[in-house]
């Protein structure tokens, strides 16, 4: 599959803009014979995902990266000198990439990036949008891209920053079977479970269902630990019991919201990093909007959305991982 990707002669390479550093320009030309991958959005998730992509494709592909935050893009290129270089804009990536990944916060960011790059996309290029966004925006962007003769799949992920770093993400792919097959070898560099869900937008549908469950579960786990504490139970003991009982979940055994229970999760690092509470609030909003469009009753999903909206607006919780809902709840329930 990789060999089937279009290869371009060095002479066909567009000239690098002056914003490129001499070193980056040199790298870009030295890898001119290789097919080009692009990655736009190097945040909590995008950075480690692109790092795995760079690591596993360094021999076969060059990688162009871009982020609103130029310092992050420069840091990424410096960390992957063999294959990665910074593009001066998202559009510059579109003009050169054979396969282009986007990992952006929300639908409005995807809309604005794709509106900007769609005219520049190479014929037959494949776009892989890994952001979590609403189904309607995903299908609309897919129409724009396909109208230009390029291809696109939505491929949102589950697993968090730990799985993004370990390369063990789950991808939920929406698009044609052929486009999903083209994306698969690249997704395998970043994840270990790849599901083709159906047409464009169905990857987002699966992701929205998953995150609604996760959001509800984290609120439930936080309530259980707050109640347990107020009943005099030590959190570590309660956690041992839950993890060998029917209350066990990913939120108890892997991503526990109580500081100190799981090492290396945001809760044990003052809730820094991870999956921002504002992003969870956004995803719960996607779920409640999808539920009202399909007239699906989601009592717990709607209640959890209200909780995350309040937590995301709290000064002490802003910018923190969504498991900070436990800290917020524990403070409210303090005796
Ligand atoms: P983030 O806010 O950390 O990263 C987003 C990045 O996109 C930032 O670096 C930002 O500078 C960049 N960006 C924004 N607009 C841009 C633009 N127009 N052009 C270029 N760069 C731009 O978010 P994240 O946590 O990495 O999440 C990204 C997506 O993945 C979201 O849709 C989120 O819901 C989803 N997600 C996150 C997690 C997680 O644990 N963090 C897990 C699964 C899915």
């Amino acid at each position: 599959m990789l060999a089937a990707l279009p290869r371009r002669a060095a002479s066909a390479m567009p000239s690098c803009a002056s914003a490129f550093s001499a070193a980056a320009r040199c790298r870009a030309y030295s890898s001119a014979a290789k097919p080009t991958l692009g990655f736009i959005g190097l945040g909590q998730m995008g950075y480690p995902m692109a790092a795995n992509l760079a690591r596993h494709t360094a021999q076969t592909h060059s990688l162009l990266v871009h982020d609103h935050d130029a310092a992050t893009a420069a840091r990424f290129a410096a960390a992957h000198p063999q294959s990665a270089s910074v593009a001066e804009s998202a559009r510059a990536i579109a003009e050169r990439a054979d396969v282009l990944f986007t990992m952006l916060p929300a639908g409005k960011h995807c809309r604005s990036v794709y509106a900007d790059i769609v005219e520049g996309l190479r014929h037959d290029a494949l776009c892989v949008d890994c952001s979590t966004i609403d189904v309607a925006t995903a299908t609309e962007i897919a129409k724009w891209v396909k109208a230009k003769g390029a291809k696109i799949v939505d491929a949102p992920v589950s697993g968090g920053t730990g799985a993004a770093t370990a390369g063990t993400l789950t991808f939920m792919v929406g698009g044609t079977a052929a486009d999903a097959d083209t994306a698969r070898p690249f997704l395998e560099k970043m994840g270990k479970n790849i599901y083709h869900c159906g047409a464009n937008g169905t990857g987002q549908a699966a992701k929205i269902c998953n995150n609604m469950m996760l959001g509800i579960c984290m609120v439930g786990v936080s309530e259980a630990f707050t109640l347990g504490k107020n009943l005099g139970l030590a959190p570590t003991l309660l956690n041992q019991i839950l993890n060998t009982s029917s209350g066990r979940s990913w939120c108890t055994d892997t991503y526990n919201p109580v500081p100190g229970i799981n090492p290396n999760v945001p809760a044990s690092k003052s809730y820094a990093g991870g999956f921002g509470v504002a992003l969870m609030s956004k995803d719960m909003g996607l779920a409640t909007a999808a539920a009202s469009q399909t007239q699906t009753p989601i009592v717990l999903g709607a209640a959890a959305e209200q909780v995350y909206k309040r937590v995301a607006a709290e000064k002490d919780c802003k910018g923190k991982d969504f498991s900070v809902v436990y800290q917020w709840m524990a403070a409210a329930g303090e005796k």
Side-chain angles (χ1 to χ4, degrees), residues 29 33-34 39 146 157 238 249 252 264 283 307 318 320:
Y29 282 120
K34 294 178 184 172
F39 209 109
K146 288 178 175 184
V157 305
L238 179 58
S249 70
T252 61
N264 302 322
D283 287 0
V307 172
K318 274 206 171 116
K320 299 203 166 161

Side-chain angles (χ1 to χ4, degrees), residues 40-46 66-69 103-106 109 112-113 130-132 157-161 207 274-276 279 282-283:
I40 301 171
L42 300 169
Q44 299 280 356
M45 295 294 286
H66 175 72
D67 193 282
H68 250 356
D69 179 2
M103 189 51 159
L104 299 162
H109 307 94
S112 113
V113 166
C130 299
S131 329
T132 303
V157 305
S158 178
T161 48
K207 171 66 182 171
F275 180 40
L279 290 177
K282 170 208 64 162
D283 287 0

Side-chain angles (χ1 to χ4, degrees), residues 113-127:
V113 166
Y114 277 94
D116 177 34
I117 67 173
V118 72
E119 293 296 332
L121 282 172
R122 291 160 51 84
H123 182 74
D124 251 18
L126 173 67
C127 301

Side-chain angles (χ1 to χ4, degrees), residues 10 13 23-34 62 81-83 85:
M13 290 288 289
R25 197 160 43 235
C26 182
R27 281 201 299 278
Y29 282 120
S30 67
S31 57
K34 294 178 184 172
S62 58
Q82 209 188 337
S83 60
S85 20

Side-chain angles (χ1 to χ4, degrees), residues 157-236:
V157 305
S158 178
T161 48
T165 305
T168 56
L169 290 167
T170 292
F171 284 92
M172 294 152 257
V173 184
T176 67
D179 293 348
D181 282 348
T182 307
R184 183 175 287 272
F186 300 101
L187 300 181
E188 282 170 349
K189 310 284 187 277
M190 301 180 277
K192 83 174 175 197
N193 300 303
I194 294 140
Y195 296 100
H196 181 220
C197 304
N200 289 102
T202 56
Q204 297 296 352
K207 171 66 182 171
I208 288 168
C209 294
N210 179 78
N211 273 29
M212 181 180 77
M213 258 180 76
L214 170 65
I216 292 169
C217 188
M218 188 58 89
V219 171
V221 168
S222 297
E223 286 186 354
F225 276 97
T226 306
L227 180 61
K229 193 169 143 221
N230 288 346
L231 291 171
L233 288 167
T236 43

Side-chain angles (χ1 to χ4, degrees), residues 203-330:
Q204 297 296 352
K207 171 66 182 171
I208 288 168
C209 294
N210 179 78
N211 273 29
M212 181 180 77
M213 258 180 76
L214 170 65
I216 292 169
C217 188
M218 188 58 89
V219 171
V221 168
S222 297
E223 286 186 354
F225 276 97
T226 306
L227 180 61
K229 193 169 143 221
N230 288 346
L231 291 171
L233 288 167
T236 43
L237 172 65
L238 179 58
N239 195 50
Q240 278 173 358
I241 295 168
L242 294 176
N243 285 338
T244 50
S245 305
S246 46
R248 184 180 62 82
S249 70
W250 186 79
C251 298
T252 61
D253 69 7
T254 305
Y255 208 83
N256 199 289
V258 180
I261 288 191
N262 292 134
N264 302 322
V265 297
S268 297
K269 296 185 259 180
S270 309
Y271 299 98
F275 180 40
V277 65
L279 290 177
M280 176 51 94
S281 180
K282 170 208 64 162
D283 287 0
M284 297 307 290
L286 295 180
T288 52
S292 83
Q293 278 154 19
T294 54
Q295 295 174 349
T296 309
I298 53 156
V299 177
L300 295 183
E305 186 200 7
Q306 295 309 313
V307 172
Y308 287 109
K309 264 192 185 159
R310 285 183 62 181
V311 179
E314 277 303 320
K315 190 163 69 61
D316 291 347
C317 301
K318 274 206 171 116
K320 299 203 166 161
D321 179 72
F322 78 112
S323 60
V324 76
V325 66
Y326 167 75
Q327 187 191 68
W328 174 82
M329 214 173 262

